[in-house]
Amino acid sequence: MQIPIAYGKDDRINLKIDEKNLLGVFDPNKVAKFDEAALIAKALANPINQKSFDEFIAGDEKIVIIVNDGTRPTPTAKILKQIYPKIRDKNKIFIIATGCHREGTLDEYNMIFSKEIYPEIRAKNEVHDHDSK
């Protein structure tokens, strides 16, 4: 039996399985759509058992923001779209948590931070790839 499996963003591969070994094909539950920007704004304004983001960043202390590398599909750019205007002029650095992965590429940096934010933080030398070696 051939079973199509989603692979990557838009591709599919066919997996050959002997029917005697197949218990079933299970699809994920449908998830209600929501307004991502509104959800992020609500979470920043009212985090669970914590100060709001605005209260958290108040003051002059250096801010260190740790983000995933380009191998993780984390929506960092969507979150930064809302918080970056608030931290733009703060003393800050971004550390990319590469684990044991290589340094990122320009395309990955643009995916992580967005094409609007990355050039600015790169020019200010505010982005650093973690190097486990």
Side-chain angles (χ1 to χ4, degrees), residues 102-120:
R102 60 165 168 68
E103 186 174 311
T105 65
L106 179 59
D107 285 342
E108 290 169 337
Y109 296 141
N110 285 326
M111 178 201 70
I112 295 166
F113 298 103
S114 81
K115 290 180 180 179
E116 294 75 31
I117 294 173
Y118 179 64
E120 182 177 333

Side-chain angles (χ1 to χ4, degrees), residues 72-120:
R72 306 280 185 251
T74 308
T76 305
K78 292 177 183 179
I79 296 166
L80 284 176
K81 184 177 182 177
Q82 293 195 39
I83 68 171
Y84 189 71
K86 298 174 184 219
I87 63 171
R88 173 177 268 126
D89 298 323
K90 298 273 187 181
N91 180 12
K92 67 189 170 308
I93 62 167
F94 293 89
I95 298 175
I96 301 173
T98 59
C100 59
H101 295 148
R102 60 165 168 68
E103 186 174 311
T105 65
L106 179 59
D107 285 342
E108 290 169 337
Y109 296 141
N110 285 326
M111 178 201 70
I112 295 166
F113 298 103
S114 81
K115 290 180 180 179
E116 294 75 31
I117 294 173
Y118 179 64
E120 182 177 333

Side-chain angles (χ1 to χ4, degrees), residues 25-36:
V25 177
F26 304 94
D27 292 315
N29 296 331
K30 296 287 182 189
V31 177
K33 293 186 179 195
F34 52 86
D35 180 345
E36 289 176 341

Side-chain angles (χ1 to χ4, degrees), residues 2-48:
Q2 294 284 334
I3 301 173
I5 305 290
Y7 182 77
K9 190 173 182 179
D10 299 316
D11 293 330
R12 293 198 171 279
I13 59 172
N14 287 316
L15 186 61
K16 185 176 180 180
I17 302 284
D18 189 327
E19 287 190 46
K20 70 179 183 183
N21 296 326
L22 182 67
L23 178 63
V25 177
F26 304 94
D27 292 315
N29 296 331
K30 296 287 182 189
V31 177
K33 293 186 179 195
F34 52 86
D35 180 345
E36 289 176 341
L39 187 64
I40 292 168
K42 181 179 176 184
L44 291 170
N46 301 297
I48 298 170

